[in-house]
Structure formats: structure tokens, C-alpha cells
Amino acid sequence: MFKKLLATGAGALLALSIGAAGAYFTAQVQVPENVIKAGEVAISTEPTSAALSVDSLAPGTVTVRPLSVKNAGNLSTDVVITASKKAGITDLYNALTCRVTCGGAELANGPLSTMKTTPLRLAPGAEGDFRFEIGLPADIGNDLAGDYSKISLYIDGEQAH
């Protein structure tokens, strides 16, 4: 019985070694010139400066200013706009109001000093036409007459995810 089992095992081992030594047909094809490039986030604006400039804003009035933001990159981008005072009278800056819309959707509404729009997603090559309504409350006093605030807008673009 042991000899029979040993002979069967040796036969199986011999069969496996013969099969492993056999040749197989193979083929290979090359797919050349593969380039992988990272995308980019890039935005531009029109106008490029003085977008919110107003010569004589009166209490109780609103002045409308447009700003176009274009996604110049090749990735979908979420755009957020904020403002910051760079010079001038802080009391006037804090009194200014701002409502921002784009395509009829309200993105911000309140003091300009705390403005931060909700993100607007722009596809590659798409433009967002923002509408800024800058105002002064009707109840401000004469102490702000003739004052000014110099303001910078910051348009931040982040890859959509």
C-alpha cells in the first residue's frame, strides 16, 4: 500500500514537472507617448481694478457695480469673494452695505466689512457675472459726509470637490 501511494505521488510529481517545462505562446503590445498633466485653477476678472468705485454715494441710496469672473483654468472652480479696507475711514467702511447676486441668486447680503459670498461653481471657461449693490443706510449722520474708504476685493478660486 505504501509503495502504491509512493508510486502515485512520484507519478503526479513527474506529470507536474513535464507540464511546467512546456512552452506557451505570448504576445506584447506597447502603447507609447502617454502624458499625464495636472490640471490648474486660474481665474480672471473684468474690470481688473476699481470694480466697486463710487464717486458720491448718498445715504439711503444703492449703486450697482458689475464684476465678471472667468474660470481661465481647466478644472471646475468654486469662487468666493471677500472685501478688505486698505485705507480711509473705518466708520464709513463699517457703514457700507453690500448685496451680491449672480444669475439672480443672492450670494451675500449685509455689511461690506463682513462680506463673504457663498461659493459659486464655474466650469472651465465659464464666466460668472456678479452684481454688487453698494449702499449706505438712510439713518447715518453727517459725520461721514465726504469720507472715503479704499477697498480691495479678493476673488478666491478653489478646485471644486
Side-chain angles (χ1 to χ4, degrees):
M1 171 103 165
F2 181 69
K3 285 184 178 182
K4 189 174 185 184
L5 186 58
L6 190 58
T8 305
L13 188 58
L14 181 63
L16 284 173
S17 67
I18 293 172
Y24 296 99
F25 294 116
T26 63
Q28 183 181 55
V29 65
Q30 178 184 5
V31 181
E33 304 300 324
N34 297 288
V35 176
I36 299 172
K37 184 178 176 184
E40 65 180 331
V41 172
I43 52 178
S44 62
T45 64
E46 183 61 43
T48 59
S49 67
L52 300 186
S53 290
V54 179
D55 288 334
S56 55
L57 187 60
T61 64
V62 171
T63 299
V64 176
R65 294 291 184 258
L67 178 70
S68 180
V69 177
K70 181 177 182 177
N71 180 351
N74 54 18
L75 296 172
S76 289
T77 302
D78 290 334
V79 173
V80 174
I81 302 175
T82 57
S84 178
K85 180 177 97 49
K86 295 300 174 186
I89 308 303
T90 301
D91 288 343
L92 176 65
Y93 177 64
N94 289 335
L96 292 168
T97 60
C98 184
R99 180 174 184 256
V100 184
T101 58
C102 185
E106 185 175 88
L107 303 176
N109 192 359
L112 179 63
S113 60
T114 61
M115 179 191 73
K116 181 177 181 181
T117 64
T118 56
L120 177 69
R121 182 157 296 171
L122 295 176
E127 284 189 36
D129 293 320
F130 292 84
R131 174 186 162 100
F132 290 81
E133 299 173 18
I134 308 298
L136 272 175
D139 61 354
I140 66 164
N142 283 335
D143 55 329
L144 296 180
D147 288 349
Y148 80 99
S149 282
K150 186 175 182 181
I151 299 161
S152 286
L153 289 179
Y154 294 93
I155 297 85
D156 295 308
E158 180 180 293
Q159 173 190 342
H161 40 83

